[in-house]
Amino acid sequence: MVSVERARYLMGTPCAVVVVHRDSAAALEAVTSALDEIDRLEDVMSSWREDSELARLNRSAAAGPVVCSTELAAVLDSGLVLARLTAGAFDPTVGPLVDAWDLRGQGRVPSVVEVAAALACVGWSGLDFDREARTVRFARPGMSVDLGGVGKGFALDRAAATLARLGSPSALINLGGELFALGERHTVTVAHPAARLTPVVELEVGDACVSTSGQSERGFSVRGVRYGHVIDPRTGRPVATAASVTVVCRSAARADALATALLVMGRERAAGFVRAHPEVGALWLEPAGSGVRAWNWNLSTVRAVPGAQVRWMERREWATHTLEKGNR
Ligand code: AMP
Ligand code: MG
């Protein structure tokens, strides 16, 4: 068996693919095809590029129905399914709020009036999506779709399907910390909620996807207040939490969107949601004094993590902290 690894900068973040295969030429072909697939999808759904298919849709869908490519239709469909599943905690129409808070730029704090104006243009039920015809129309002018909370996961699912089609028995795709682990067990680490370069928990996963949302990744500070990039669609404001949440499940799009949604829900509601969805495992981390507190929901039972190992990293500074188990 040979292991082939390649990395590229994709979707605004480093993307690494490692494939273990009997044949090195086949492994290289698989790795390259997986990276090409993510590259292709970035052209479809990037919110950062003026010329992406999504940017074009956002410019014209208020005027009348716009026909989408099969890929854009598929990711919009996932986004709407997840909006419904999370009762709108995940909402792919948060675009006007992302703009109001300038989350694609330096970040700014909008006035109450600006937040209210943006909120009036947000709401996934205003997205008229015809799945069969693959058309989208905005019910109100000023609406815009933002796939920042699900797009990476969607691309990971497609890249993993590419690897599976090319016969890779074992592979790991890491797209900016969002992971798709194909085949045998892989050990992945989860970072400290306030220090993304400091791993604190190890998870063992097989055939599973892992996605984390939190405040340490991106965000901005104004007069000592830290604002993250996950917005509560009910208030129109970035979620005020120091927590991070890591979701493990079978689909990367779902792991991605659910991590965003659980952060919006807050710990209590998130616990209830995961309890009602046994196919989803989650790890909720909160800074506590100099340490970290953790809540582990379903991680020992979820099928994506057979006989999961969830453990603190072997570091003296973490040894005194509690890793609570069970559905709290
Ligand atoms: P993630 O890092 O996966 O949690 O996604 C955060 C990104 O998703 C943000 O940068 C926004 O582009 C977008 N976003 C923010 N809040 C929400 C929300 N409540 N629902 C869906 N997407 C969101
Ligand atoms: Mg997400």
Side-chain angles (χ1 to χ4, degrees):
M1 288 295 209
V2 286
S3 162
V4 171
E5 174 165 8
R6 288 289 182 278
R8 258 185 234 168
Y9 197 79
L10 293 168
M11 297 192 153
T13 188
C15 178
V17 182
V18 190
V19 163
V20 179
H21 208 286
R22 248 177 291 116
D23 177 66
S24 60
L28 185 59
E29 191 203 339
V31 167
T32 309
S33 304
L35 289 167
D36 288 348
E37 178 68 354
I38 297 174
D39 200 350
R40 199 175 63 78
L41 290 169
E42 188 177 3
D43 293 341
V44 173
M45 59 194 179
S46 172
S47 297
W48 301 77
R49 295 185 182 176
E50 288 284 297
D51 60 346
S52 70
E53 187 186 351
L54 178 64
R56 288 198 300 276
L57 177 130
N58 279 335
R59 283 195 292 270
S60 35
V66 175
V67 181
C68 309
S69 63
T70 48
E71 282 86 3
L72 187 57
V75 66
L76 284 170
D77 193 41
S78 299
L80 288 171
V81 165
L82 284 149
R84 208 167 291 125
L85 188 70
T86 62
F90 180 85
D91 190 329
T93 68
V94 290
L97 289 165
V98 170
D99 290 341
W101 290 87
D102 190 27
L103 296 182
R104 306 243 170 267
Q106 299 294 304
R108 64 183 278 271
V109 180
S111 69
V112 173
V113 173
E114 284 172 301
V115 170
L119 255 182
C121 300
V122 171
W124 59 278
S125 58
L127 201 62
D128 288 340
F129 175 58
D130 183 331
R131 200 170 164 185
E132 300 304 315
R134 296 204 318 263
T135 56
V136 174
R137 196 182 62 87
F138 295 155
R140 294 183 289 285
M143 285 182 68
S144 74
V145 169
D146 181 301
L147 298 172
V150 69
K152 285 197 190 78
F154 182 84
L156 273 176
D157 282 333
R158 290 295 168 106
T162 302
L163 291 180
R165 202 173 55 243
L166 293 173
S168 300
S170 173
L172 186 70
I173 318 174
N174 183 341
L175 180 54
E178 274 184 46
L179 304 166
F180 201 124
L182 268 167
E184 70 188 32
R185 287 179 173 220
H186 299 263
T187 301
V188 305
T189 58
V190 179
H192 187 293
R196 66 194 185 89
L197 298 179
T198 307
V200 293
V201 173
E202 258 178 10
L203 300 173
E204 253 176 44
V205 295
D207 279 325
C209 307
V210 183
S211 180
T212 299
S213 280
Q215 304 293 58
S216 71
E217 199 72 21
R218 277 177 286 158
F220 64 100
S221 298
V222 173
R223 285 192 283 274
V225 181
R226 174 94 185 148
Y227 298 91
H229 61 114
V230 173
I231 291 176
D232 183 339
R234 288 166 307 183
T235 63
R237 302 180 62 80
V239 174
T241 178
S244 76
V245 59
T246 300
V247 171
V248 182
C249 66
R250 292 275 177 183
S251 140
R254 191 161 278 230
D256 190 356
L258 287 182
T260 308
L262 295 183
L263 201 72
V264 170
M265 289 179 197
R267 198 180 66 219
E268 299 279 305
R269 271 181 71 208
F273 181 93
V274 179
R275 213 171 287 143
H277 293 86
E279 75 287 3
V280 174
L283 180 71
W284 182 281
L285 298 181
E286 278 177 24
S290 61
V292 179
R293 279 193 81 191
W295 285 260
N296 162 2
W297 303 313
N298 291 354
L299 278 175
S300 315
T301 51
V302 67
R303 268 181 55 229
V305 198
Q309 297 289 325
V310 183
R311 53 183 176 256
W312 290 112
M313 302 287 289
E314 292 294 326
R315 285 169 175 236
R316 200 177 314 137
E317 62 262 44
W318 304 120
T320 54
H321 307 306
T322 42
L323 180 57
E324 300 184 15
K325 291 230 169 90
N327 284 333
R328 281 168 216 241

